[in-house]
Amino acid sequence: AGGILVGDAVISISGDLQIQSGGVVTHSAHLREGLRLDVTGDLRIDHDGSIDVSARGLFGGYNGSAHGGYGETYDADEQIVAGATGSTSFAYRGWGASFGGVGGTGTPGGTTNSVYGVLEDPHQLGSGGGGAYGLPQGTPGGAGGGRTYVKAARLLVDGAIRANGARGYNDGSGYEGGSGSGGSIKLEVGSLTSPAGQGSIEANGAISAERAGAGGGGRIAIAYDTLGMSDTSIRAAGGT
């Protein structure tokens, strides 16, 4: 049966865990520790079931960000700071956020944030897109993808593991927020398979609101003994 489980503390399972069709496991928005699953046996994700922390990362500009129209990102000390923006004064289109890949361009004069993190240890949230200036309340940028860490003896994925960014908003009058970057997925498993060949693992940046910046790709790292899943089903691409 379908249902949503929000796991904001470590979820430890002695034995097997099955996420059935319609079931979703996620974490709360902006939770730096992310979703942490430790399963001693099999973790099975059925078709249409998912671990999905999309849009659960750092906030976009004018969309919960502590820095107004700037999207949130990390500095070198992993403190949350101002990141992608529209411009220093007025912008119709916000810039996309970066993480593993670079965010897309918005109105000239603005900027995206720097890429961050390391390939083998993705553990940060995705960054938020820049908001569009010019309206009293601003036009929101999209949130970044969240963070997932999974440890399991066997991981069987016929559903999805997602940490995608959120698309920036388009208010319909020419103001568009930048889109959020993908988040992070780290898997430590004995084996990774997709028994029915339907599974996917993705930490993609969100597509552009229309002409604003798309989000850069997130980061995925998988440590395994046996891989029985096509690498074409594993993506951390930037939006378009």
Side-chain angles (χ1 to χ4, degrees):
I4 299 174
L5 172 64
V6 179
D8 288 349
V10 177
I11 299 174
S12 297
I13 303 295
S14 180
D16 299 336
L17 174 64
Q18 182 178 9
I19 302 174
Q20 297 179 334
S21 179
V24 179
V25 180
T26 188
H27 67 74
S28 294
H30 211 259
L31 182 72
R32 295 187 64 167
E33 295 81 4
L35 176 67
R36 294 153 291 166
L37 286 173
D38 189 345
V39 181
T40 62
D42 292 352
L43 172 54
R44 181 183 296 273
I45 305 174
D46 293 343
H47 178 63
D48 284 337
S50 65
I51 292 172
D52 194 343
V53 297
S54 298
R56 299 283 181 163
L58 298 182
F59 294 139
Y62 298 128
N63 194 13
S65 172
H67 302 281
Y70 291 79
E72 294 181 335
T73 190
Y74 294 100
D75 65 12
D77 297 319
E78 298 196 7
Q79 299 301 305
I80 297 174
V81 297
T85 186
S87 75
T88 56
S89 57
F90 183 91
Y92 284 100
R93 297 181 289 277
W95 284 58
S98 304
F99 182 5
V102 178
T105 59
T107 295
T111 183
T112 184
N113 57 288
S114 299
V115 298
Y116 55 94
V118 293
L119 182 63
E120 66 272 18
D121 184 27
H123 62 272
Q124 298 100 334
L125 300 171
S127 291
Y133 293 73
L135 297 178
Q137 74 278 11
T139 301
R147 172 188 177 188
T148 293
Y149 168 74
V150 172
K151 183 176 182 180
R154 295 201 307 165
L155 177 57
L156 303 92
V157 184
D158 277 324
I161 301 176
R162 302 188 187 98
N164 298 327
R167 191 178 187 184
Y169 289 73
N170 184 340
D171 75 353
S173 65
Y175 295 99
E176 303 168 16
S179 294
S181 77
S184 65
I185 298 172
K186 184 175 182 180
L187 310 176
E188 295 180 351
V189 297
S191 65
L192 171 60
T193 61
S194 180
Q198 300 173 327
S200 63
I201 299 173
E202 52 194 43
N204 296 327
I207 63 174
S208 169
E210 186 174 344
R211 295 170 295 172
R219 294 189 183 273
I220 300 173
I222 305 173
Y224 60 86
D225 296 321
T226 304
L227 179 63
M229 184 175 183
S230 171
D231 58 9
T232 61
S233 301
I234 303 170
R235 290 178 54 81
T240 57

